[in-house]
Amino acid sequence: MMRRNNNPAGPRPEEQDHTDPLSRQLRSSLGLSRRPLVSLFIAAIIPLLLFGGWVAYITADQQREQARRRAFETVNQVAERIASEMDAQLQVVETLAASTALDDPSLQRFYTEAQRVKATHPLWETIELTDPSGTQLVNLLRPLGVRLGPTADRESFDEVIKTGQSAIGGIGPVGPISGKRLVAIRAPVVRQGQLIYVITVSFIPNAISEILAGAGVPNDWVGAVVDARGNFIARTLAQETELGRPAAPGLREAIQRAPAGFYVSPTLEGVEVEVVYRTLPKTGGWSVHLGVPSDALNTPVLRSVYILAGGGVASCLLALLLASLMARDIAQRRQTEAERASLALALSEERGAVAIEAAELGTWRWEVGRGKFFGSERCWTILNLPPGDISGPEGCVPVERFLEVIHEEDRDAIQAAAHRCLEDSSTMNVEVRVRRHDGSLNWIRATGRALDASAEGPPEIHGVIADIEPEKRAQAERLNLLRRLAEAQENEQRRIARELHDQIGQTVTGLSLGLKALEHKVDGGGAQEHVRWLQALTSEIGRDIHRAAADLRPTSLDDLGLRQALIAFTSDWGDRFGIKVDIQFVGVDDQLPPEVGTVVYRIVQEAFTNILKHASARNVSVVVERRSQRLRMIIEDDGAGFKPDTPAELAAGGGWRDGPPLGLSGARERLSLVGGTLEIESAPGKGTTLFIQIPLSHHEQKP
């Protein structure tokens, strides 16, 4: 029987000693389990502190950058609107300067016409006409014939007299007749090369103020438009009192230093602002300025810097504590990482073998020095070598046996690729044809790399082999489809061109003849002039229809052949656009296959279109040469040139000067239909040369 423990005081000493190690182990396990939790907590607190401070700084900095970006965008918008408004006003003034009413010495007709034009422009204060000495001859604020004084704002007037060009003045002084500060737009009146008058339109700058006020800037921002002298034309604050007054010294220094940029300066009210400005083109030196208070930009950023610094100090203290906790686990983690790396390497090798098998690739090894070719089972299947021809346990055949299954036209290519791979340590990548037992051909691709030259033993090439017959067949089918699509497109363009030429062209010709007959029946005067105008318009429509029909499908290509069609096209193109074109033919007759002639003609069209759009060339040279069964063409211009290596997708918004134009990709597609090639030589500022070659041996010759 078991004895019961009747000692109420607790267990005996030997029992107490037996339970103490278990208690200590439990307490140690609890301590070890708590350490990762503490480390995780500290590790979580550190990035939170840093992230919080960094987010605060980034947010404040982004707000500042957004404010600056908004200021830039607003300045650009206001500048564009003001420039557009002033350009429109200047065009009206120049149109008025060209009026025939100024040819009347009495100027009565001009006075009446000026009153009519001023009535359509509410913001115009007056229109004045001044002789070259500066004396006013006409001012709509006074009746015609009243004696007037000299013109105001002599600076813009002297500029027109000196340059003979239109000018936009700044904010002028208080006019003796208008009693206001006005902005003057002046244009010279030139007859037979002589400047006889200067016409001036003076307007109040309310339109400029409305554009500036409508920009939608915050109330604490300060916007202004100043002239070249630094005087205010418009301002968002104190507009009425500051009109015509000089701006702050910082603003005046900025517009003298650069036409656009950024500066920091106090406003007239004493508030320091960061200002973005831009000078307006064709306005005589006007500039738009938009200032953002520095305190509104920098105070949130400075506050976030303090937060970030405090979080950094706290994070450093916590990082020291975390480092002391994690130091004990470094050795164990290194061992774990080494085991994981070993496992990952084994897994990678296994996946590589599975990938090769899944891709249906064969592996091979070519000992060039010993003349041996080794391969896997899949390799022999792709090469169509029967098992009886394979000797040895490693699947080895002599190189001669391997080359026998390669098409005789491709044997030199694969041997040259192998020797080049060994000599240059380059990648061997060659596509050849393999002859099957039934006599058919099958395309394969062999890819490999040479072993390190320092390795012992004979030179070897290791690689993989793939069956690409389906890919080649798909490419051939695609090329055939593209060829048929191109032929269908040419036939449809030929039909549309004949419709335009035969039907619409005859209708326009009949209309022209009808108008010619009508001209003799109507009485003289305005009706006869209108009929002549309709005749000219009809002739222009006929020419446009003829040109559109020729662009779709030139009849000369079908009727006269490629040579005469290219001569007619280049001659007409050079006359239309004022570019000298030189075209030469060497050994070219009209015996070319129709599909080749069509491709050559279309490529010349696309090349000339690119030259006109992008090259700014003055001379173009075309040489078409036929040698035996090959047609060669060179198209050269002396235009702007480009960088041929620039990808086309980057050049789509950039044009000819930054990269190859998109029209060249269409030319390459057309050439692929007839087995042709295109090479480009060009450099910025050095012109462009296109080298085109088309083989004729695979095309049917038609007499």
Side-chain angles (χ1 to χ4, degrees):
M1 294 180 60
M2 296 182 61
R3 292 183 299 174
R4 298 175 59 186
N5 184 5
N6 296 322
N7 186 2
R12 292 191 300 270
E14 58 272 16
E15 293 178 350
Q16 180 69 35
D17 293 337
H18 178 73
T19 57
D20 282 345
L22 179 60
S23 300
R24 287 195 298 270
Q25 185 177 2
L26 290 174
R27 286 195 298 269
S28 177
S29 299
L30 291 174
L32 290 174
S33 63
R34 284 196 298 267
R35 189 182 302 125
L37 295 177
V38 175
S39 300
L40 289 175
F41 177 75
I42 296 175
I45 289 294
I46 292 175
L48 286 177
L49 290 174
L50 294 176
F51 181 74
W54 183 250
V55 167
Y57 174 78
I58 290 296
T59 303
D61 188 63
Q62 287 180 346
Q63 291 175 352
R64 178 171 62 180
E65 291 302 321
Q66 288 175 357
R68 289 175 175 172
R69 193 180 305 113
R70 181 181 176 187
F72 273 108
E73 293 173 354
T74 304
V75 165
N76 290 333
Q77 292 175 0
V78 172
E80 290 174 1
R81 291 188 58 188
I82 294 177
S84 176
E85 177 70 22
M86 299 306 297
D87 185 61
Q89 299 286 351
L90 185 59
Q91 290 181 8
V92 175
V93 177
E94 290 177 346
T95 302
L96 193 60
S99 173
T100 56
L102 290 169
D103 299 334
D104 185 3
S106 65
L107 299 178
Q108 179 61 48
R109 287 176 53 204
F110 171 74
Y111 190 85
T112 304
E113 184 176 352
Q115 287 181 320
R116 177 182 58 79
V117 174
K118 178 181 177 299
T120 62
H121 296 78
L123 295 180
W124 286 13
E125 182 69 16
T126 184
I127 299 176
E128 69 177 54
L129 188 68
T130 313
D131 62 14
S133 67
T135 303
Q136 298 183 68
L137 303 177
V138 175
N139 191 317
L140 295 188
L141 296 178
R142 295 290 185 268
L144 183 64
V146 174
R147 184 178 182 84
L148 305 169
T151 184
D153 189 11
R154 288 286 305 194
E155 184 174 346
S156 61
F157 176 82
D158 293 339
E159 182 180 353
V160 174
I161 295 297
K162 180 180 179 181
T163 63
Q165 302 292 329
S166 302
I168 299 176
I171 187 74
V174 177
I177 298 178
S178 64
K180 301 177 181 179
R181 289 183 176 273
L182 303 174
V183 177
I185 301 178
R186 302 182 186 271
V189 179
V190 180
R191 296 293 186 270
Q192 298 180 354
Q194 298 281 339
L195 189 148
I196 58 174
Y197 302 117
V198 175
I199 187 169
T200 304
V201 170
S202 301
F203 64 92
I204 55 180
N206 287 1
I208 311 301
S209 301
E210 292 175 0
I211 293 175
L212 191 61
V217 300
N219 294 331
D220 57 343
W221 291 17
V222 182
V225 179
V226 300
D227 58 18
R229 298 187 298 269
N231 298 329
F232 285 114
I233 298 175
R235 196 168 185 263
T236 56
L237 299 179
Q239 162 72 20
E240 300 299 331
T241 59
E242 301 299 336
L243 181 64
R245 291 185 56 187
L251 185 150
R252 300 166 69 89
E253 293 175 0
I255 61 177
Q256 292 177 1
R257 183 171 57 251
F262 171 85
Y263 64 92
V264 179
S265 174
T267 64
L268 297 177
E269 292 79 13
V271 178
E272 186 176 273
V273 292
E274 297 185 9
V275 184
V276 178
Y277 73 98
R278 174 183 170 185
T279 301
L280 305 180
K282 300 180 182 179
T283 56
W286 289 20
S287 56
V288 180
H289 301 254
L290 187 61
V292 185
S294 300
D295 290 342
L297 290 175
N298 299 326
T299 300
V301 177
L302 187 60
R303 187 184 303 116
S304 64
V305 169
Y306 293 148
I307 296 175
L308 182 60
V313 172
S315 299
C316 289
L317 296 176
L318 291 174
L320 292 175
L321 178 60
L322 179 62
S324 64
L325 294 174
M326 298 298 294
R328 303 176 185 179
D329 302 330
I330 292 179
Q332 183 178 359
R333 291 194 178 190
R334 286 181 178 176
Q335 182 180 0
T336 303
E337 290 298 328
E339 294 175 355
R340 288 180 179 177
S342 177
L343 180 61
L345 179 59
L347 183 60
S348 176
E349 293 176 352
E350 182 180 355
R351 287 178 177 175
V354 172
I356 291 178
E357 183 178 354
E360 296 186 349
L361 299 176
T363 59
W364 55 270
R365 177 167 56 92
W366 187 347
E367 293 184 359
V368 180
R370 296 173 55 188
K372 298 292 185 180
F373 188 88
F374 300 83
S376 65
E377 181 179 356
R378 177 60 182 168
C379 174
W380 306 124
T381 302
I382 295 175
L383 292 175
N384 199 30
L385 279 174
D389 293 344
I390 303 173
S391 62
E394 298 181 357
C396 171
V397 297
V399 172
E400 292 77 9
R401 183 68 185 95
F402 161 68
L403 294 176
E404 285 179 3
V405 300
I406 306 298
H407 192 274
E408 54 271 11
E409 295 180 0
D410 298 337
R411 292 171 188 169
D412 293 339
I414 194 169
Q415 293 184 84
H419 288 292
R420 187 166 52 251
C421 176
L422 291 173
E423 293 174 359
D424 304 339
S425 298
S426 58
T427 300
M428 175 181 173
N429 191 349
V430 61
E431 296 179 358
V432 296
R433 291 164 290 178
V434 174
R435 189 176 299 280
R436 295 184 175 274
H437 296 299
D438 58 2
S440 63
L441 297 177
N442 192 68
W443 280 95
I444 65 169
R445 178 186 292 116
T447 306
R449 292 293 297 270
L451 288 181
D452 188 1
S454 61
E456 297 181 357
E460 295 182 4
I461 303 176
H462 291 244
V464 295
I465 190 170
D467 183 359
I468 60 171
E469 179 64 23
E471 178 183 345
K472 286 291 185 177
R473 191 179 302 114
Q475 290 178 359
E477 292 176 356
R478 174 181 174 275
L479 186 62
N480 186 38
L481 177 60
L482 289 177
R483 187 179 294 110
R484 287 189 293 170
L485 288 175
E487 183 179 353
Q489 181 183 9
E490 288 295 332
N491 291 335
E492 182 64 15
Q493 289 182 347
R494 183 185 293 109
R495 185 190 66 80
I496 296 174
R498 292 194 182 279
E499 291 281 345
L500 288 174
H501 184 272
D502 296 342
Q503 295 185 11
I504 301 178
Q506 292 179 5
T507 303
V508 173
T509 303
L511 176 60
S512 178
L513 294 175
L515 291 173
K516 184 68 177 179
L518 181 62
E519 179 185 359
H520 298 291
K521 294 181 179 181
V522 299
D523 297 334
Q528 197 170 27
E529 289 294 329
H530 192 67
V531 171
R532 291 196 185 99
W533 177 78
L534 289 175
Q535 280 184 292
L537 182 61
T538 305
S539 299
E540 185 176 351
I541 294 174
R543 287 192 299 270
D544 291 341
I545 292 174
H546 177 73
R547 187 175 293 115
D551 289 340
L552 284 172
R553 178 68 187 186
T555 57
S556 58
L557 188 60
D558 297 324
D559 300 337
L560 304 177
L562 175 64
R563 181 187 182 106
Q564 296 301 323
L566 285 179
I567 292 175
F569 169 74
T570 55
S571 176
D572 177 67
W573 186 86
D575 293 340
R576 283 167 58 191
F577 302 111
I579 299 176
K580 183 179 180 181
V581 181
D582 177 39
I583 183 167
Q584 298 181 14
F585 296 88
V586 179
V588 178
D589 51 22
D590 295 330
Q591 301 293 321
L592 292 175
E595 63 271 18
V596 174
T598 300
V599 167
V600 170
Y601 188 87
R602 292 304 185 193
I603 288 176
V604 172
Q605 278 186 318
E606 291 181 358
F608 275 43
T609 300
N610 284 330
I611 291 171
L612 182 63
K613 287 183 178 180
H614 309 290
S616 302
R618 292 176 295 180
N619 298 279
V620 180
S621 173
V622 181
V623 177
V624 184
E625 179 184 17
R626 177 175 181 175
R627 290 187 178 180
S628 183
Q629 295 301 313
R630 183 168 296 275
L631 184 70
R632 184 186 181 199
M633 183 165 57
I634 302 174
I635 304 175
E636 184 175 10
D637 67 74
D638 60 352
F642 61 93
K643 297 179 179 178
D645 295 335
T646 303
E649 60 270 15
L650 298 180
W656 181 288
R657 302 179 189 277
D658 297 326
L662 296 180
L664 296 182
S665 61
R668 283 195 170 94
E669 285 220 6
R670 289 184 182 273
L671 285 171
S672 67
L673 301 180
V674 292
T677 59
L678 169 64
E679 295 183 2
I680 305 171
E681 286 188 3
S682 183
K686 300 297 180 62
T688 302
T689 304
L690 307 182
F691 297 94
I692 300 160
Q693 291 196 32
I694 301 175
L696 303 177
S697 57
H698 300 297
H699 301 282
E700 180 183 357
Q701 300 291 319
K702 293 184 179 181

